[in-house]
């Protein structure tokens, strides 16, 4: 639901994952599920927006794959629901005085679900696969070597200081797998994964369902509570909601914005509204008319009725967006505010142009919130003197068109895989401002400086400058932040999310 979200990858990255979810405001609460104590046992029936594709950590890019995979393969560090990065498969970390060498001591007593003990060789293999993968090469480019110096010790060397390395190693793609994929090919491992997590794969009936079962050798005492978790693919919003109401499901991802109020009013259900993790925006092509003119970019921004978009397209859920960094990210600068709609000033700027600005606005076909937002934007711009045509495209075609620079303007969005803004800064810098053609050399340099800084105040100052520069360029014009929403039966207890939108089912159970 909502805008389509680009996930960072390498090269020009076109690893795409569907937007994570829904609203904020308009009722509901941001707490986890039922606060009653969860009991042990039972099967949690989950419906997602699609079926998992691969469960191989460095290769997965779609949300359904990630949400299953992270229950099986754990990372060295984990982002908790409070947004804090905590050691997970690591028990101790040391840095060299020059911050170029990190020594990680692995947590003792951890084994894979096949009984194989976790060793440093597994970590070396996993991190080498990560930093050479098509999706993650750019993020982990500073790593120059990963070595095992003892069965429980891993030494990572970097070409420059990377202050947020622990946070970056919390990304789902850094999930630890057995060395040599336990004798499997990468493709086979993606269908039959082995991990240290609370669950292991029990069955995968492609096109029907995927079932996880409790890992009896899990290293955390008393977890998981559930016996099994079953995932089914139910792409249609109304079908997911109907099955939840009919008690055929216990938990569903991304109910549509329009359905949330009714779900909140049902006493047998609970709607979990979580962090503002998603950002929706219009990307403009600065390489050609009309958006090679800064006045026209300014006019477009002033013409937008952002409050109206949030109300109509997101049913009042979400917030008006200003900064390129979503509120769920560290160093988000809420002083960067979107301008209030000012049609008169927008008209004046348009009138100063050499000719009437004309554009085609791309939008994902059939994506309800995106299409509604695009229609409002079209109306806003026409009132300001623009000539605007909407062009719905299938997801893959839209991304290919935008990445190829053959567009005027396009609706897009993003969500981050980590709570540090280094990923989104790097994404913007490495794609010429999300393919807008914006000058990003300075932003890239600032991003490197920020990730190399161990001074919190200095880091915050650098990222404030990054956000201001991106706002000034207007290669992307922000209009909405979207929170994450799941709906569930009221007896589902212990369900919560990190600000990255990834659920953790080890602590989930049923109450009463």
């Amino acid at each position: 639901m909502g805008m389509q979200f680009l996930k960072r990858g390498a090269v020009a990255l076109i690893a795409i994952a569907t937007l994570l979810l829904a609203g904020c405001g308009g009722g509901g609460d941001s707490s986890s599920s039922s606060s009653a104590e969860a009991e042990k046992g039972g099967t949690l029936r989950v419906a997602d927006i699609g079926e998992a594709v691969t469960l191989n950590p460095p290769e997965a890019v779609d949300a359904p794959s990630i949400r299953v995979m992270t229950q099986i393969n754990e990372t060295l560090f984990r982002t908790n629901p409070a947004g804090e990065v905590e050691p997970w498969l690591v028990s101790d970390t040391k840095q060299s005085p020059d911050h170029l060498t990190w020594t990680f001591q692995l947590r003792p007593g951890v084994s894979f679900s096949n009984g194989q003990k976790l060793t440093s060789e597994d970590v070396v293999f996993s991190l080498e696969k990560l930093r050479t993968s098509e999706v993650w090469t750019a993020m982990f480019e500073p790593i120059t070597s990963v070595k095992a110096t003892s069965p429980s010790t891993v030494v990572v060397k970097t070409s420059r200081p990377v202050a947020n390395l622990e946070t970056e190693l919390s990304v789902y793609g850094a999930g630890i797998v057995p060395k040599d994929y336990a004798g499997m090919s990468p493709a086979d491992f993606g269908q039959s994964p082995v991990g240290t997590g609370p669950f292991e794969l029990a069955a995968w009936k492609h096109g029907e369902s995927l079932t996880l079962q409790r890992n009896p050798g899990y290293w955390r005492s008393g977890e998981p509570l559930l016996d099994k978790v079953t995932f089914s693919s139910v792409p249609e919003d109304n079908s997911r909601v109907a099955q939840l109401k009919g008690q055929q499901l216990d938990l569903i991802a991304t109910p549509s914005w329009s359905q949330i109020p009714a779900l909140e009013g049902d006493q047998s259900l609970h709607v979990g509204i979580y962090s503002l993790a998603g950002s929706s925006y219009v990307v403009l092509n600065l390489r050609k008319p009309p958006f090679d003119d800064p006045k026209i970019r300014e006019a477009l921004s002033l013409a937008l009725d952002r409050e109206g978009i949030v109300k109509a397209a997101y049913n009042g859920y979400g917030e008006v967006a200003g900064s390129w960094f979503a509120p769920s990210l560290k160093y988000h600068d809420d002083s960067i505010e979107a301008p209030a709609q000012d049609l008169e000033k927008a008209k004046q700027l348009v009138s100063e142009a050499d000719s009437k600005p004309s554009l085609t606005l791309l939008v994902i076909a059939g994506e309800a919130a995106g299409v509604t937002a695009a229609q409002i934007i079209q109306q806003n711009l026409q009132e300001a003197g623009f000539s605007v045509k909407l062009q719905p495209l299938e997801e893959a075609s839209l991304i290919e068109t935008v990445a190829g620079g053959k567009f005027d303007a396009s609706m897009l969005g993003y969500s981050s895989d980590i709570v540090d803004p280094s990923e989104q800064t790097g994404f913007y810098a490495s794609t010429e401002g999300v393919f807008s053609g914006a000058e990003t050399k300075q932003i890239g340099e600032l991003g490197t400086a920020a990730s190399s800084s161990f001074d919190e105040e200095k880091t915050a100052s650098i990222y404030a400058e990054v956000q201001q520069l991106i706002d000034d360029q207007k290669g992307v014009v922000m209009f909405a932040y979207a929170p994450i929403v799941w709906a569930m039966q009221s007896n589902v207890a212990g369900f919560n999310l990190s600000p990255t939108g990834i659920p953790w089912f080890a602590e989930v159970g049923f109450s009463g």
Side-chain angles (χ1 to χ4, degrees), residues 175-194:
I176 303 304
V177 303
K179 182 181 179 181
D180 297 325
Y181 289 122
M184 289 180 266
S185 69
D188 287 344
F189 185 87
Q191 302 301 305
S192 302
V194 176

Side-chain angles (χ1 to χ4, degrees), residues 74-350:
E74 300 178 300
T75 47
L76 298 179
F77 297 87
R78 173 176 174 249
T79 303
N80 64 27
E84 301 161 338
V85 176
E86 56 188 1
W88 202 247
L89 294 181
V90 167
S91 61
D92 183 64
T93 301
K94 287 185 173 63
Q95 291 183 54
S96 62
D98 62 3
H99 301 297
L100 297 178
T101 302
W102 295 69
T103 302
F104 300 119
Q105 195 67 33
L106 299 184
R107 186 180 295 279
V110 178
S111 297
F112 291 98
S113 58
N114 62 0
Q116 176 184 330
K117 183 179 178 181
L118 171 70
T119 73
S120 55
E121 294 290 345
D122 303 307
V123 175
V124 170
F125 176 81
S126 302
L127 297 189
E128 288 293 352
K129 288 295 179 184
L130 172 77
R131 72 189 191 95
T132 58
S133 74
E134 183 180 353
V135 178
W136 301 106
T137 299
M139 180 183 283
F140 293 98
E141 178 271 333
I143 293 179
T144 57
S145 69
V146 184
K147 296 186 183 302
T149 58
S150 84
S152 61
T153 307
V154 177
V155 175
V156 175
K157 291 185 179 292
T158 60
S159 58
R160 60 171 174 82
V162 183
N164 62 335
L165 184 62
E166 293 175 332
T167 302
E168 293 190 341
L169 289 174
S170 72
V171 74
Y172 69 83
I176 303 304
V177 303
K179 182 181 179 181
D180 297 325
Y181 289 122
M184 289 180 266
S185 69
D188 287 344
F189 185 87
Q191 302 301 305
S192 302
V194 176
T196 63
F199 294 95
E200 59 185 354
L201 183 65
W204 191 350
K205 299 177 182 178
H206 288 275
E208 294 182 27
S209 65
L210 184 154
T211 301
L212 302 180
Q213 64 187 14
R214 177 191 290 123
N215 174 4
Y218 187 48
W219 58 274
R220 281 175 63 87
S221 178
E223 294 182 4
L225 299 175
L226 295 163
D227 294 325
K228 294 182 179 180
V229 181
T230 63
F231 293 85
S232 56
S233 170
V234 185
E236 213 279 311
D237 292 341
N238 291 331
S239 294
R240 288 198 305 280
V241 169
Q243 290 180 47
L244 181 70
K245 287 182 173 180
Q247 298 187 342
Q248 297 156 280
L249 294 169
D250 301 303
L251 177 69
I252 64 170
T254 67
S256 73
W257 308 100
S258 61
Q259 294 167 318
I260 295 171
L263 292 172
E264 289 176 328
D266 189 329
Q267 296 301 308
S268 69
L269 303 175
H270 172 83
V271 178
I273 299 178
Y274 305 94
S275 59
L276 288 161
S279 295
S280 297
Y281 56 91
V282 183
V283 58
L284 310 178
N285 192 339
L286 278 53
R287 305 174 189 88
K288 63 176 189 173
F291 298 118
D292 57 344
D293 184 345
K295 286 185 178 181
I296 298 302
R297 301 200 294 272
E298 180 71 15
L300 180 142
S301 182
L302 289 169
L304 298 189
D305 177 12
R306 292 171 173 84
E307 294 282 359
I309 293 171
V310 169
K311 183 177 180 180
Y314 301 94
N315 202 28
Y317 294 84
E319 291 183 6
V320 168
S323 167
W324 168 247
F325 293 173
S328 62
L329 296 182
K330 289 177 66 178
Y331 312 114
H332 165 79
D333 187 351
D334 57 13
S335 72
I336 298 178
E337 297 180 350
Q341 185 184 35
D342 189 340
L343 282 174
E344 289 308 310
K345 187 172 180 181
K347 288 177 183 177
Q348 180 185 339
L349 290 168
V350 168

Side-chain angles (χ1 to χ4, degrees), residues 411-465:
M411 309 286 286
L412 280 176
Y414 83 73
S415 61
S416 182
D417 301 307
I418 58 176
V419 292
D420 192 276
S422 60
E423 182 180 26
Q424 293 311 322
T425 302
F427 170 60
Y428 186 89
S430 65
T431 58
E432 291 186 282
V434 198
F435 313 110
S436 68
E439 173 54 55
T440 58
K441 183 175 184 290
Q442 183 182 3
I443 290 170
E445 291 171 349
L446 287 169
T448 298
S451 67
S452 300
S453 169
F454 287 80
D455 182 327
E456 192 75 10
E457 195 171 308
K458 178 182 176 184
T459 304
S461 175
I462 294 171
Y463 277 129
E465 186 176 356

